[in-house]
Amino acid sequence: MSRVAVFGAGYVGLVTGACFADLGHEVVVRDVLPDRIDALRRGEVPIFEPGLDELLARNAERLTFTLDVAEAVRDAEFLYVAVGTPPTYSGDADLSAVWTVVDELQGVEQPAVVVMKSTVPVGTGAKVRHRLDERGLTHIGYASNPEFTAEGTAIRDFRHPDRIVIGAFDLVDGDAVEELHRGIEGPIVRCDVASAEMIKLAANAALMTRISFINEIANVCEATGADVVRVAEGVGLDRRIGPSFLRAGIGYGGSCFPKDSLALKQLAANSGYHFQLLNAVIEVNELQKRRVIGKLKQHLGSLRGKSVALLGLAFKPNTDDTREAPSLVLAGRLVAEGADVRAWDPVADGRAILPQATIHDSPLEALDGADAAVLVTEWPELVELDWAEAARRMRNALLVDGRNLLDPEELRSAGFAYEGIGRAAG
Ligand code: UDX
Ligand code: UDX
C-alpha cells in the first residue's frame, strides 16, 4: 500500500483521496482553507457529492486532513495535484494554484511522483518537469493522470472508469501510478504527458460538441415541427453515434466544460490555430442559455413586472455546484428584463449566488402566484411534483421545460401552456 498526498480538498481532490483510501492507501489531503480542513476533521463534508460522506467516514483511519505541507508530503510516494485551474480574464487556464503547490514541494527528500489531476493546458507537464529540475528535485517524477469523473456520479466514475489515462516522462513513474490504481477495473491508456493532457481537453470538447450539436438540432426541430427527444433517440441508436450526451436543453454549465473549452480555444489560438468548431460550440451554448427568454416573451410579451420561478439552480442534478450554471445567466437576463425572479433548489445555496432573487424552500412555494416557471435543473423532485396543484397556484400556468424532463401531454392536461426545447408547441 502506498502513501498519497492530495493537494486540494475540492470536488476532485476529496473524491480522489477518498477512493484511494478505499483501495487501502494512506492518504493525506491538504488544503489552504482552514475552515475546510477543520470541517473535514470533524467529519463534515464541505461539498455535496452523493456517497462521499459515507466513503470518507468508512476510510477515516486511512485519511488525514491538514493545512501543513510538511505533514502532507512526509513519506508520500505520490503527490496528487487537484487544485482548481479557473479561467483567467484572457480565457487561459489560471495555473497559479498549481505553481504554488509545485513550489511547496521544495522540502521533499524521498523519491516521489507528482501526479497532475487538475486539468491543465498541454505543455504544463513539461514546464513543471523543468521547474522541478531547476530546483534540484530530479528525484521527483511527473505523471499526468486526468480525471473524467462527473459531479453527482464521481465516486462511481472513479471506481468504474471508462479508462485510466496515465502519461509520464519515465516509464517507471507511469508504472507506479498504474500500480496505485490496482483494484480498479478499466482499460489503461499509457502515453506521453502532452497526449494525456490533450486527451482530457479533447474528451471534454467532444462531449460539449455533442451537446451544442443536439441543441442546434433542437432549434431546427422547433422551426420545422419535429421533436428532438424522438430525434435524439433515433439518432443515438446508431451504434456509430451512441445515445450519450444527446439531451437537448438550456446549455451546458459546470466547473469543467465552460472553463476547459475556453482553455482549449486559447491553447489553440496561442499556438497559432483558430479552432473554428470549438468557437461555434461555445457560442451555440451561450445563445442556448438565452433562448428561454424569447420563449417567455412569446407567451407573456414584456417581462417587466412579471414573476418568473426558476426550478433548480445547480448546473445539473445531484450536485450543489452552481459554477457557470445556466440558471445564473437566466436570472441575470430576467432581472435585466425587469422581471421578478424567485427560485428553488434542493441543495444549491440560492441566497448566496442570487441575491437579486427570492429563494423558496419548495417548488410549490416558488410557483405560488408566478406568471411563468422555467425548469432549469432536472431534479427528481420535479418529476414527482403535483403539477395540477402547481397550475392552480400560479397566476399564469406557463412552463418552459429547459431539460425536456416532463411529459408535454401530462402538463397540458394539468392546465399548463408547456414549452420544451426542440419540441413542437402543442
Ligand atoms: C478541479 C480542478 O482540478 C480542475 O482543474 C478540474 O478541471 C476540475 O476539478 P475542483 O476540485 O472542482 O477542481 O475545484 P475546487 O472544488 O475549487 O477545489 C480546489 C481546492 O484546492 C479548494 O479547496 C482550494 O482551497 C484548494 N487550493 C487552492 C489549495 O489547496 N491550494 C491552492 O494553492 C489553491
Ligand atoms: C464533465 C465531464 O463529464 C467529466 O468527464 C469531466 O471530468 C468533468 O466535466 P460534469 O461537468 O460534472 O462532468 O458534468 P456532466 O454530466 O458532464 O454535465 C455537464 C453539463 O452538460 C451539465 O450542465 C449538463 O446539464 C449538460 N448536459 C449533459 C446536457 O446539456 N446534455 C447532455 O446530454 C449531457
Side-chain angles (χ1 to χ4, degrees):
M1 289 300 134
S2 300
R3 196 171 152 90
V4 183
V6 178
F7 289 84
Y11 288 86
V12 174
L14 282 178
V15 169
T16 303
C19 289
F20 279 137
D22 201 46
L23 286 174
H25 303 299
E26 285 290 327
V27 177
V28 186
V29 180
R30 189 264 179 165
D31 204 286
V32 291
L33 301 176
D35 289 351
R36 185 159 278 217
I37 292 301
D38 284 346
L40 285 161
R41 283 180 178 155
R42 285 195 303 270
E44 292 164 21
V45 185
I47 56 167
F48 178 79
E49 179 63 45
L52 183 59
D53 43 2
E54 197 231 324
L55 197 64
L56 288 170
R58 196 167 73 223
N59 293 288
E61 60 185 24
R62 282 184 297 279
L63 274 162
T64 316
F65 302 99
T66 185
L67 291 164
D68 182 13
V69 178
E71 185 183 345
V73 303
R74 191 175 308 128
D75 301 328
E77 295 147 76
F78 297 92
L79 306 158
Y80 261 84
V81 181
V83 292
T85 51
T88 58
Y89 193 67
S90 62
D92 297 88
D94 179 355
L95 296 181
S96 52
V98 169
W99 290 120
T100 304
V101 172
V102 172
D103 290 342
E104 284 169 337
L105 302 180
Q106 198 58 52
V108 178
E109 285 169 3
Q110 74 278 14
V113 188
V114 171
V115 193
M116 189 59 68
K117 204 59 164 161
S118 297
T119 305
V120 293
V122 181
T124 303
K127 289 182 189 152
V128 174
R129 177 70 271 161
H130 182 70
R131 184 162 314 181
L132 291 171
D133 291 344
E134 254 178 8
R135 305 264 161 108
L137 297 170
T138 47
H139 56 288
I140 299 185
Y142 184 92
S144 164
N145 173 216
E147 53 94 14
F148 301 99
T149 51
E151 286 174 29
T153 53
I155 292 167
R156 187 195 69 198
D157 295 346
F158 194 101
R159 288 173 159 171
H160 306 284
D162 288 348
R163 76 302 208 186
I164 297 166
V165 173
I166 303 169
F169 294 113
D170 281 322
L171 206 58
V172 284
D173 295 332
D175 290 346
V177 176
E178 188 171 337
E179 181 60 26
L180 184 70
H181 286 80
R182 183 189 284 264
I184 298 182
E185 295 296 323
I188 295 187
V189 179
R190 294 283 299 268
C191 56
D192 57 284
V193 171
S195 301
E197 292 166 340
M198 184 55 102
I199 288 171
K200 165 72 194 211
L201 295 174
N204 272 356
L207 295 171
M208 284 178 263
T209 303
R210 286 175 69 101
I211 297 172
S212 279
F213 168 76
I214 201 68
N215 282 338
E216 287 213 286
I217 292 289
N219 299 343
V220 181
C221 283
E222 274 173 22
T224 54
D227 182 336
V228 76
V229 177
R230 294 277 89 78
V231 172
E233 189 186 324
V235 169
L237 281 168
D238 186 321
R239 262 175 300 191
R240 294 166 301 176
I241 299 173
S244 313
F245 279 73
L246 283 183
R247 275 181 290 116
I250 51 171
Y252 58 74
S255 66
C256 285
F257 283 179
K259 156 177 92 68
D260 293 347
S261 55
L262 278 183
L264 180 54
K265 171 185 159 159
Q266 291 310 330
L267 178 73
N270 297 342
S271 326
Y273 185 73
H274 182 60
F275 200 148
Q276 293 194 62
L277 182 58
L278 190 58
N279 283 330
V281 166
I282 294 168
E283 193 180 352
V284 167
N285 196 57
E286 284 310 312
L287 294 175
Q288 198 68 14
K289 294 187 226 167
R290 290 161 170 78
R291 275 177 71 88
V292 169
I293 302 292
K295 287 176 186 281
L296 291 172
K297 281 184 171 174
Q298 262 169 24
H299 288 262
L300 300 175
S302 165
L303 300 181
R304 182 166 301 280
K306 300 279 163 45
S307 173
V308 181
L310 301 182
L311 302 177
L313 295 171
F315 81 98
K316 65 173 195 177
N318 290 318
T319 179
D320 60 348
D321 200 341
T322 53
R323 285 180 282 184
E324 301 291 331
S327 61
L328 302 177
V329 172
L330 211 50
R333 285 289 303 116
L334 287 168
V335 169
E337 293 285 338
D340 164 29
V341 181
R342 33 191 37 238
W344 162 84
D345 191 283
V347 290
D349 183 358
R351 288 175 186 88
I353 52 160
L354 289 183
Q356 69 275 49
T358 323
I359 306 300
H360 295 271
D361 294 333
S362 78
L364 284 177
E365 272 172 42
L367 293 168
D368 216 19
D371 295 294
V374 183
L375 194 157
V376 183
T377 315
E378 62 275 42
W379 283 106
E381 287 89 333
L382 297 175
V383 180
E384 306 298 323
L385 195 71
D386 181 348
W387 285 99
E389 170 65 10
R392 282 192 288 276
R393 289 210 190 187
M394 291 175 74
R395 186 154 60 193
N396 176 49
L398 165 64
L399 175 71
V400 179
D401 180 355
R403 300 291 181 176
N404 292 338
L405 179 70
L406 305 171
D407 178 1
E409 286 321 311
E410 276 178 29
L411 267 283
R412 286 182 188 126
S413 41
F416 271 92
Y418 174 94
E419 287 263 358
I421 305 291
R423 308 176 112 175

